[in-house]
Amino acid sequence: MNKLKLCLVGVGSIGRRHLRLLNERDDVTLCVVEPFEPSWQRIVEEVGTFERFASLDEALASGNVDAVIISTPHGMHAKMAIQALEAGVHVFCEKPMSDDLTECVAMLKAAQKTDKVFSVGFMFHFDPFVRKVKEIVDSGRLGNILHYYSRFATYNTLLCSLTKHQANTPYSLVMDCIHDSDLLCWITGRVPDYAYSNAFHAGEMELSSPQNFIDTTYRWDSADMGAHVHFNYVQHPQIHVMEIVGDKGYIRGDFMTAAVEVGTIDGQKEVIDASRNFEDVYRAEWDCFVKACRGECEVENPAESAIMATLLMQAQKESGTTGKEISIRELAKRCGFEY
């Protein structure tokens, strides 16, 4: 089997993790786009030496790339992804697709014009803990889902940020926590119709951002289900939990311990241990992407579904800024996207 030639663009903390885990595989070859010498030396010290390019243009012009992995800042995702797709190579784009829904629509259209794989890095789809939660929801054990809640409180994200860009990036909080927006749609199989957000800055933490708290309430025209998500950049140690309530039972899930508590309306309760090694979650994500590039399986997070998370993210931002409830479908149409 010919080795798949992968080019990593962007070597921050997540990019280096991708490079390290992909370097374990014997069915791929790796090259890196890295123009800055200090960043390159860090790669060499931590992972090893690879073929190096100064730009994506240079890498694509080499004719020696089957797929690119985009781990750059959010604002660079769209341009690079579209460029790579138009050059005829597969694309793995870290989450979010973009920080702007209009750019996501352009990415979606570019992906639809080609037979190349386009996937977004929502790695929780490969997490045994999350998959267990979805399995229980899909089984009907909870009955009709009435309410979805998640809380992601993560001062740790600011501590781990190399560039500390969050300090000057409005609504970086909803971008860093976009996994929860994706999971709301993926686990329930439903996209909300309206979003109302209360976004604010509180406290005088050493590390912070323009908005370090956001609460969003989602509702549906059908009025048969509600959802509430909370994000903050203050709480430490990190907390990440979800609760899903149906008319026959509930789930309480803790992302940190991977414990899934399932209760029924008649008072029965079960706690399931879905513990995992996060390195294995990323390995599973890469296994799926490589197989999809070879035509051996379907891509897990294509543009058609991944764009929904940015749609919810943009609704959160617009509501937080205006103080008004946002029609999610009208927002989508305004940006050239219909679903």
Side-chain angles (χ1 to χ4, degrees):
M1 180 183 295
N2 293 331
K3 292 188 176 184
L4 197 69
K5 302 165 186 173
L6 305 180
C7 181
L8 185 77
V9 187
V11 287
S13 60
I14 187 64
R16 293 200 311 281
R17 171 183 276 178
H18 290 333
L19 190 65
R20 175 171 52 79
L21 294 178
L22 284 165
N23 197 42
E24 298 174 350
R25 302 182 66 104
D26 59 9
D27 58 351
V28 303
T29 60
L30 299 168
C31 62
V32 175
V33 172
E34 182 47 69
F36 303 110
E37 192 62 29
S39 297
W40 171 250
Q41 288 303 320
R42 183 171 55 196
I43 294 171
V44 172
E45 292 170 6
E46 294 183 5
V47 188
T49 301
F50 305 90
E51 184 176 11
R52 178 189 182 190
F53 297 102
S55 67
L56 179 58
D57 287 341
E58 185 179 308
L60 294 174
S62 73
N64 198 33
V65 174
D66 295 318
V68 298
I69 299 159
I70 301 171
S71 300
T72 58
H74 308 150
M76 302 171 70
H77 287 184
K79 181 180 178 181
M80 288 184 167
I82 292 170
Q83 180 185 0
L85 288 167
E86 291 179 345
V89 303
H90 305 294
V91 173
F92 178 96
C93 180
E94 255 307 333
K95 58 84 182 172
M97 275 178 72
S98 169
D99 54 11
D100 181 85
L101 184 61
T102 303
E103 289 189 343
C104 287
V105 173
M107 297 164 79
L108 171 61
K109 291 179 178 178
Q112 290 173 334
K113 288 180 181 178
T114 179
D115 61 351
K116 298 301 176 182
V117 170
F118 178 89
S119 184
V120 177
F122 288 122
M123 54 80 182
F124 277 114
H125 288 216
F126 301 92
D127 182 352
F129 160 74
V130 174
R131 293 181 76 89
K132 175 56 68 174
V133 170
K134 182 168 171 55
E135 175 190 316
I136 293 168
V137 170
D138 289 347
S139 74
R141 186 172 173 182
L142 305 185
N144 297 313
I145 302 304
L146 309 179
H147 193 268
Y148 180 100
Y149 167 76
S150 66
R151 178 185 182 89
F152 195 5
T154 176
Y155 190 68
N156 188 60
T157 295
L158 302 183
L159 293 172
C160 293
S161 174
L162 296 178
T163 64
K164 308 301 181 189
H165 71 276
Q166 290 90 348
N168 302 303
T169 305
Y171 291 99
S172 60
L173 183 57
V174 292
M175 300 176 206
D176 285 340
C177 298
I178 197 171
H179 283 295
D180 283 47
S181 298
D182 169 69
L183 291 178
L184 167 59
C185 299
W186 189 60
I187 290 174
T188 68
R190 302 183 66 179
V191 179
D193 293 308
Y194 302 94
Y196 175 75
S197 295
N198 179 27
F200 57 97
H201 182 278
E204 298 296 332
M205 310 290 288
E206 180 181 359
L207 301 174
S208 195
S209 61
Q211 301 85 17
N212 60 356
F213 282 85
I214 186 164
D215 275 287
T216 302
T217 301
Y218 293 109
R219 69 181 180 91
W220 279 259
D221 278 325
S222 59
D224 63 343
M225 178 178 165
H228 168 218
V229 298
H230 168 87
F231 305 149
N232 79 61
Y233 272 149
V234 174
Q235 205 158 352
H236 196 67
Q238 180 171 293
I239 289 177
H240 194 185
V241 295
M242 69 163 65
E243 183 172 88
I244 304 170
V245 178
D247 56 12
K248 292 183 179 179
Y250 71 86
I251 289 175
R252 290 195 187 104
D254 187 333
F255 287 79
M256 309 308 293
T257 65
V260 182
E261 179 183 313
V262 188
T264 61
I265 199 166
D266 60 3
Q268 297 182 40
K269 185 172 75 171
E270 175 187 10
V271 178
I272 301 168
D273 179 4
S275 56
R276 75 296 207 208
N277 180 331
F278 257 115
E279 300 280 83
D280 291 336
V281 173
Y282 285 102
R283 289 184 181 103
E285 179 180 48
W286 286 121
D287 196 50
C288 180
F289 180 71
V290 169
K291 287 180 178 177
C293 290
R294 296 190 185 282
E296 297 172 1
C297 72
E298 294 294 321
V299 64
E300 171 60 33
N301 298 314
E304 289 83 359
S305 58
I307 193 173
M308 294 300 182
T310 302
L311 174 59
L312 297 193
M313 181 186 79
Q314 190 143 328
Q316 287 181 291
K317 291 163 61 177
E318 290 200 9
S319 180
T321 300
T322 64
K324 298 178 180 179
E325 185 178 68
I326 299 297
S327 167
I328 293 172
R329 197 170 292 275
E330 288 179 8
L331 168 62
K333 288 182 179 180
R334 180 161 29 99
C335 295
F337 175 53
E338 294 195 35
Y339 60 96

